[in-house]
């Protein structure tokens, strides 16, 4: 991971909605100290790639994988409860072919599923 490049790509492609520190804005969810929750399930891991901001991003698969890995390193904190396997360009390329449409309802159900699995 190239942290400078990943941070630059986050700044150019993500922080407009998620804020420079990952705190989110308006209806955009907070990532700081929360994004790692999604890594506790396969569906949650996929969710981070399939949300529209990721899936339809102009970033290449490799750059998006790098940004997602950087986001986990920078923002997840103690919310990561399982060993983190970094995203690969191949994984990102396959997952982003299936972007989510009903993100709010999907996210709510996903978080409920993750919470009930604990």
């Amino acid at each position: 991971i190239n942290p400078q490049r990943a941070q630059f790509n986050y700044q150019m492609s993500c922080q407009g909605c998620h804020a420079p520190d990952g705190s989110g804005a308006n209806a955009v969810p907070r990532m700081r100290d929360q994004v790692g929750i999604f890594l506790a399930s396969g569906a949650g891991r996929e969710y981070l790639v399939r949300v529209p901001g990721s899936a339809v991003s102009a970033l290449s698969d490799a750059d998006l994988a790098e940004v997602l890995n950087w986001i986990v390193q920078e923002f997840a904190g103690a919310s990561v409860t399982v060993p983190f396997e970094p995203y690969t360009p191949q994984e990102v390329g396959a997952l982003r072919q299936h972007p989510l449409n009903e993100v709010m309802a999907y996210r709510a159900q996903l978080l409920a599923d993750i919470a009930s699995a604990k």
Side-chain angles (χ1 to χ4, degrees), residues 1 8 10 29 36 61 74 77 92 94 98 118:
I1 185 170
F8 175 80
Y10 175 83
D61 295 343
E74 289 294 312
V92 166
H98 307 284
K118 288 184 176 180

Side-chain angles (χ1 to χ4, degrees), residues 27-116:
V28 176
R30 172 184 187 85
M31 288 192 295
R32 180 163 295 287
D33 299 323
Q34 295 184 6
V35 72
I37 293 167
F38 294 99
L39 301 172
S41 80
R45 180 181 173 87
E46 291 179 7
Y47 167 83
L48 296 177
V49 180
R50 295 180 60 212
V51 293
S54 290
V56 301
S57 165
L59 294 173
S60 70
D61 295 343
D63 286 342
L64 181 56
E66 185 174 67
V67 168
L68 290 167
N69 293 331
W70 180 85
I71 286 170
V72 171
Q73 282 184 335
E74 289 294 312
F75 298 144
S79 69
V80 177
T81 59
V82 297
F84 174 60
E85 184 70 33
Y87 287 96
T88 66
Q90 297 78 14
E91 177 185 19
V92 166
L95 291 172
R96 73 192 306 196
Q97 298 304 311
H98 307 284
L100 295 171
N101 293 319
E102 299 296 327
V103 179
M104 302 284 259
Y106 187 90
R107 182 179 190 276
Q109 184 60 55
L110 185 57
L111 288 171
D113 292 347
I114 291 169
S116 69

